[in-house]
Amino acid sequence: MAERLFTGIAASAGLASGQVLRPARAAGREMAETRGGSGAEALWAAIVAAGNELAELLGRLDGDEAEIVAMQMAFLEDDELARPAFEAIAAGRPAAAAWAAAMDAEIAVYQASDDEYFRARAVDFQDMRDRVLAALTGSGGGPLVVPDDTILLAAELRPSEFLAASWGKGAGIALTQGSPTSHVAMLARGRGLPMVVALDAEVLDLQGAALLDGAAGVLVSEPDEARLAAARDRLANEASGRAEAAAMAARPAVSRNGVRVAVQATIADPAELDRLDPAHFDGIGLVRTELFLDSPARLRDEEGQLAAYRRILAWAGGRPVTVRTLDAGGDKPIAGYTVAHEANPFLGMRGIRLSLRHPDIFRVQLRALARAAADGPLKVMLPMVTLPGELAEARAMFDSEIAALAAAGAAHGRPALGIMVEVPAVAITPERFDADFFSIGSNDLVQYTCAVSREEAAAARLGSAADPSVLALIARVAAHGRLSGREVGLCGDAGGDPLLVPALLAAGLRSLSVQPELAGAVKAAIAGLDLATDT
């Protein structure tokens, strides 16, 4: 057969070549609605069972993968989500039909959003809907198995399906639905799986060999030998680049002319450290505490928090550790803590705004951090700071908790207190903020500077950390750091992109916090640069 080219949207870079696979799906939703239990008790039991399944899955994950599962768990634990279903059951509707209708209404709200990020979240609610329906009926199927050198063809892929699947070497994903901002796309990028979305539905009828180019957003069926040869050459080059990055990971980050750059790790859970070598990093530049303090019980558990921070400091072995206080809100809800149904969550109650709104919970975290600081070089960083008064209020709370610990004779330290630079109001006038250090959150700084949702794929070209306006703000903060003698680093996604590293370092940065698996590639990029020595 002659080759055919199908164009979709790039979701995860990379090449996959091999046979296509159409997965067998579990029993359909219609069966679930007709076979599901009839009462409120049955629905409660199914929700609990679904939550337990997610908890079991969460225990095997870390980083962004754990964050996605934790988000679904938080929504399932929110009584408000299930309230319409229980009201329908009380009116005489079967449990499965009531749950499906309630979730469909929620899904419709997300699908109707003007923001692509929130439209992409609809699939997470579909995932939760179907997981509970499967628990009601016992109709769930086994996990996907995608063999080596196989391209999975499907209309859509749910986050839990992806996470439970067995992915062979050289596998790829081709979907007729989906979005590059979906959680599945994020997961594919994290695993290095090529992925293309929004392909024509005709691809679902394909059989035989295919070539998937995740960077170009194309699927080629029955590729000819010339195309396959070019793909093999590209795969070899990519493999060589990965080998170089792996070798660089164990070395210090030093430019061609001898300038040292700190490359630190970004983590979302202490469990991630089990697979990391501390010698590969200059410390931890960001601990995203909201991803493991994901419930009201954990937020109030001072001893549990203290144990987590001590574990991280022990791993670091005297290297600096920067812990960000709770950055909940926006796309990171915590049931019973964050504000539900905000008109614009990314401009609403997030980060330090929520912490100051819940001082009792904030003080628990501050006490645990001060106690942990007795064990090593710990720094504390406040997210989403907009006004100097927020920093002053947080510092006053921190000082009072430290004084109370001292009065009680409890072991403690006084960590440096810094702020994230995510809001242009801070980047334009950093001199107004009496922070001990600054860390630039490039994701939000781009979003707020360029007025483009960081999750809006259609407008992605309008906003980038390489934009001169963003680089000018970064340079402004770096210059303030040099003049005031205060450390300035970057902990957003831009720091892990080797193509952006030269511009970031030219702007004056000398400290980057990156996802651990990207450290080698970043160090390789730094090794090829000549950097100014007067920053």
Side-chain angles (χ1 to χ4, degrees):
M1 294 178 62
E3 70 171 26
R4 296 178 63 194
L5 187 146
F6 300 88
T7 300
I9 297 175
S12 178
L15 283 173
S17 176
Q19 297 294 304
V20 299
L21 170 71
R22 280 295 310 275
R25 296 294 187 179
R29 172 180 158 180
E30 295 79 8
M31 181 183 296
E33 289 197 42
T34 57
R35 288 175 47 189
S38 60
E41 289 186 4
L43 180 56
W44 272 124
I47 292 173
V48 170
N52 289 340
E53 289 174 2
L54 288 172
E56 192 276 332
L57 183 60
L58 181 63
R60 307 198 302 266
L61 305 173
D62 53 37
D64 288 335
E65 296 185 351
E67 177 184 350
I68 292 165
V69 174
M71 185 207 75
Q72 289 196 11
M73 289 178 64
F75 276 116
L76 276 180
E77 292 168 0
D78 187 351
D79 292 343
E80 187 62 23
L81 183 69
R83 179 184 56 78
F86 285 105
E87 290 176 350
I89 292 171
R93 196 166 190 186
W99 171 255
M103 290 298 290
D104 285 347
E106 191 78 21
I107 291 164
V109 171
Y110 277 81
Q111 289 175 331
S113 173
D114 292 333
D115 189 319
E116 181 170 342
Y117 173 80
F118 286 97
R119 292 197 301 275
R121 296 292 77 74
V123 73
D124 292 280
F125 284 87
Q126 292 166 353
D127 201 355
M128 289 183 282
R129 178 197 64 198
D130 294 346
R131 182 178 288 275
V132 172
L133 288 175
L136 274 168
T137 64
S139 60
L144 288 171
V145 177
V146 184
D148 292 352
D149 301 317
T150 299
I151 298 170
L152 178 72
L153 295 181
E156 62 182 12
L157 188 64
R158 307 288 169 78
S160 63
E161 287 181 307
F162 180 100
L163 292 169
S166 173
W167 295 100
K169 183 179 179 181
I173 304 169
L175 304 179
T176 61
Q177 300 177 28
S179 160
T181 65
S182 71
H183 276 150
V184 168
M186 181 193 302
L187 294 170
R189 291 191 289 270
R191 297 276 186 101
L193 290 171
M195 179 173 169
V196 177
V197 299
L199 289 159
D200 191 282
E202 190 178 358
V203 302
L204 298 179
D205 296 325
L206 295 178
Q207 297 181 7
L211 175 67
L212 183 75
D213 188 333
V218 299
L219 174 72
V220 182
S221 68
E222 302 297 341
D224 62 28
E225 185 53 39
R227 193 184 295 272
L228 286 173
R232 285 193 290 267
D233 289 343
R234 185 171 144 194
L235 284 169
N237 290 335
E238 291 177 355
S240 175
R242 287 192 296 271
E244 179 187 5
M248 291 296 298
R251 304 176 191 172
V254 182
S255 72
R256 188 162 49 199
N257 62 329
V259 176
R260 185 76 162 81
V261 178
V263 175
Q264 302 183 84
T266 292
I267 67 167
D269 192 297
E272 293 180 55
L273 301 176
D274 294 341
R275 60 181 175 83
L276 301 180
D277 185 343
H280 291 187
F281 304 93
D282 296 302
I284 296 179
L286 173 62
V287 179
R288 304 169 70 190
T289 60
E290 64 281 354
L291 301 184
F292 61 90
L293 303 178
D294 55 1
S295 70
R298 289 179 177 174
L299 292 178
R300 297 181 183 279
D301 181 4
E302 182 177 333
E303 297 304 319
Q305 290 194 44
L306 176 61
Y309 304 143
R310 282 176 168 168
R311 178 181 178 185
I312 296 169
L313 286 164
W315 176 90
R319 298 173 181 83
V321 172
T322 302
V323 177
R324 182 174 68 188
T325 60
L326 202 67
D327 191 22
D331 60 340
K332 292 172 286 188
I334 298 177
Y337 179 79
T338 49
V339 179
H341 306 300
E342 288 184 285
N344 192 330
F346 284 100
L347 294 178
M349 298 304 295
R350 319 177 40 192
I352 190 63
R353 302 173 185 181
L354 269 174
S355 292
L356 296 177
R357 188 173 181 174
H358 298 282
D360 54 333
I361 291 175
F362 191 30
R363 287 178 180 275
V364 170
Q365 185 169 35
L366 294 176
R367 281 196 304 273
L369 288 166
R371 292 172 63 191
D375 288 23
L378 181 69
K379 300 190 290 183
V380 176
M381 181 164 64
L382 306 175
M384 198 63 185
V385 170
T386 306
L387 300 173
E390 293 169 322
L391 172 58
E393 188 175 352
R395 177 175 280 122
M397 286 188 189
F398 209 5
D399 287 345
S400 71
E401 294 304 325
I402 291 171
L405 290 170
H412 68 283
R414 181 178 289 274
L417 185 63
I419 64 172
M420 295 278 288
V421 180
E422 302 164 284
V423 179
V426 179
I428 293 169
T429 56
E431 64 277 2
R432 292 190 299 147
F433 295 84
D434 186 25
D436 296 329
F437 64 93
F438 299 86
S439 185
I440 295 165
S442 59
N443 298 1
D444 276 323
L445 186 60
V446 169
Q447 174 175 234
Y448 297 134
T449 300
C450 300
V452 175
S453 169
R454 68 189 195 188
E455 306 292 347
E456 187 70 44
R461 64 180 181 82
L462 300 176
S464 164
D467 189 278
S469 64
V470 177
L471 290 173
L473 292 177
I474 292 172
R476 188 178 187 89
V477 179
H480 171 68
R482 290 194 298 274
L483 290 173
S484 62
R486 298 175 186 183
E487 179 188 349
V488 176
L490 184 141
C491 62
D493 287 345
D497 186 343
L499 297 178
L500 290 175
V501 165
L504 296 175
L505 299 183
L509 295 176
R510 292 296 180 267
S511 177
L512 304 173
S513 187
V514 305
Q515 294 297 324
E517 64 273 9
L518 301 177
V522 169
K523 290 180 179 182
I526 293 169
L529 301 175
D530 290 314
L531 300 177
T533 58
D534 58 350
T535 60

